Amino acid sequence: MAVLVARKIRKTYGKRTLKQEVIKGIDLEVHEGEFVGIMGPSGSGKTTLLNVLCSIDFPTEGIVEINGKPLKKMKERDLAKFRREHLGFIFQEYNLLDTLTVKENILLPLSISKVPKKVAEKRLAMLVEYLGIADILNKYPNEISGGQKQRTSAARALIAEPSIVFADEPTGALDSKAATALLANLENINKERGATIMMVTHDPVAASFCSRVLFLKDGQIYTELYKGDKTRQAFFQDILNTQKVLGGDGYDIN
């Protein structure tokens, strides 16, 4: 089942002679339970595409549907409710509230949606075990590491059991150890709980945790790779080879 469908997506900035078309007619689908990566050289339109797909921005042309609902046709109030109930977000910046504990930050979306306490606590217990943060629930953001902050952010994105989670360079501010731990956590949640995740990354190591990777070039989908039954190391090499064709840096996988 397709959770997200995008058809003929174009995004243009500026007017008249200053127009710049960043996204140039992209079609794509993301199916339930997929972990999809988006890669491409700087300026290829990765973050712009993600923003358009998750309703942070809207396409100049084309349609984006999530669970069969066209986002652009929703009224602002309805869209805010839809985001809260069906979409999760993980960004490079953790966006945690310093005055709330880790537990309170994670539970915030459910508090706003008035989910019963018993249901919220059950979801919390399961998520923090998956993400390895059960021992820091009563700490505040300034008392925990960057990796723990990002795992807290991931738990907050997943606590409402969204239809799809959008992640924009979620490992960008983390060291390699913390990044690998977060990605392994997301991969496990994807495989074991069927969470649907779409992630922008410049890093082939991060992308190797995905089940499918889309490569953008000049605002269009250049190609895509499927992991299938390959090992993460073999998939990493495929990603690295494709990235070299497009232009990019070299990496080593652990």
Side-chain angles (χ1 to χ4, degrees), residues 96 100-111 115-139 148 151-162 189 193:
L96 301 177
L100 299 182
T101 64
V102 166
K103 179 178 179 179
E104 290 166 341
N105 267 286
I106 295 169
L107 289 174
L108 187 59
L110 300 189
S111 300
V115 172
K117 185 176 179 180
K118 201 170 183 180
V119 174
E121 292 286 348
K122 184 177 179 181
R123 291 186 192 176
L124 176 73
M126 189 180 299
L127 268 179
V128 297
E129 285 301 323
Y130 268 110
L131 291 164
I133 52 174
D135 59 337
I136 61 166
L137 288 179
N138 294 319
K139 292 187 177 182
Q148 291 170 327
R151 281 181 279 160
T152 299
S153 178
R156 183 183 56 191
L158 290 157
I159 193 76
E161 298 183 346
I189 288 170
R193 299 189 61 194

Side-chain angles (χ1 to χ4, degrees), residues 22 28 44 51-52 61 73 79 83 91 104 108 148 160 166 206 250:
V22 181
L28 65 86
S44 60
N51 288 344
V52 165
E61 296 178 27
K73 292 184 179 180
L79 182 57
R83 283 196 196 107
F91 299 107
E104 290 166 341
L108 187 59
Q148 291 170 327
F166 294 96

Side-chain angles (χ1 to χ4, degrees), residues 31 37 238 240:
H31 293 266
D238 288 347
L240 194 60

Side-chain angles (χ1 to χ4, degrees), residues 6-246:
R7 294 285 181 254
K8 296 180 171 44
I9 297 299
R10 294 182 180 274
K11 183 63 183 180
T12 304
Y13 293 102
K15 296 180 179 179
R16 298 180 182 175
T17 57
L18 298 177
K19 272 188 179 181
Q20 181 183 10
E21 192 174 36
V22 181
I23 302 297
K24 304 174 182 178
I26 284 180
D27 293 299
L28 65 86
E29 293 185 2
V30 176
H31 293 266
E32 188 175 359
E34 279 197 290
F35 189 172
V36 179
I38 302 175
M39 299 191 76
S42 178
S44 60
K46 302 185 297 292
T47 294
T48 299
L49 177 61
L50 192 79
N51 288 344
V52 165
L53 295 177
C54 73
S55 77
I56 287 176
D57 201 354
F58 291 101
T60 307
E61 296 178 27
I63 61 165
V64 177
E65 294 182 351
I66 294 178
N67 292 341
K69 298 183 181 294
L71 300 185
K72 199 171 182 179
K73 292 184 179 180
M74 289 187 190
K75 294 180 180 178
E76 189 172 334
R77 186 174 177 179
D78 294 334
L79 182 57
K81 184 174 184 290
F82 186 83
R83 283 196 196 107
R84 191 166 61 244
E85 294 177 354
H86 297 281
L87 309 183
F89 301 91
I90 308 171
F91 299 107
Q92 187 170 330
E93 298 297 327
Y94 316 119
N95 296 327
L96 301 177
L97 298 178
D98 293 334
T99 56
L100 299 182
T101 64
V102 166
K103 179 178 179 179
E104 290 166 341
N105 267 286
I106 295 169
L107 289 174
L108 187 59
L110 300 189
S111 300
I112 294 170
S113 299
K114 298 180 180 178
V115 172
K117 185 176 179 180
K118 201 170 183 180
V119 174
E121 292 286 348
K122 184 177 179 181
R123 291 186 192 176
L124 176 73
M126 189 180 299
L127 268 179
V128 297
E129 285 301 323
Y130 268 110
L131 291 164
I133 52 174
D135 59 337
I136 61 166
L137 288 179
N138 294 319
K139 292 187 177 182
Y140 288 86
N142 66 354
E143 299 176 315
I144 61 178
S145 69
Q148 291 170 327
K149 287 178 184 177
Q150 195 60 298
R151 281 181 279 160
T152 299
S153 178
R156 183 183 56 191
L158 290 157
I159 193 76
E161 298 183 346
S163 300
I164 185 168
V165 174
F166 294 96
D168 189 3
E169 298 282 7
T171 61
L174 304 180
D175 61 38
S176 59
K177 184 178 179 181
T180 300
L182 173 67
L183 291 161
N185 292 148
L186 292 177
E187 183 183 41
N188 287 339
I189 288 170
N190 165 253
K191 288 180 177 178
E192 295 177 22
R193 299 189 61 194
T196 306
I197 304 169
M198 190 167 207
M199 176 179 73
V200 163
T201 182
H202 71 282
D203 184 356
V205 175
S208 70
F209 284 86
C210 298
S211 56
R212 174 166 61 115
V213 180
L214 304 174
F215 291 86
L216 300 191
K217 182 179 181 181
D218 299 328
Q220 296 178 308
I221 295 176
Y222 173 78
T223 190
E224 60 183 318
L225 298 177
Y226 287 85
K227 187 173 187 178
D229 296 328
K230 293 175 185 172
T231 63
R232 190 165 69 84
Q233 287 77 9
F235 194 44
F236 164 79
Q237 193 59 55
D238 288 347
I239 293 166
L240 194 60
N241 290 341
T242 303
Q243 190 183 41
K244 284 177 180 176
V245 172
L246 289 171

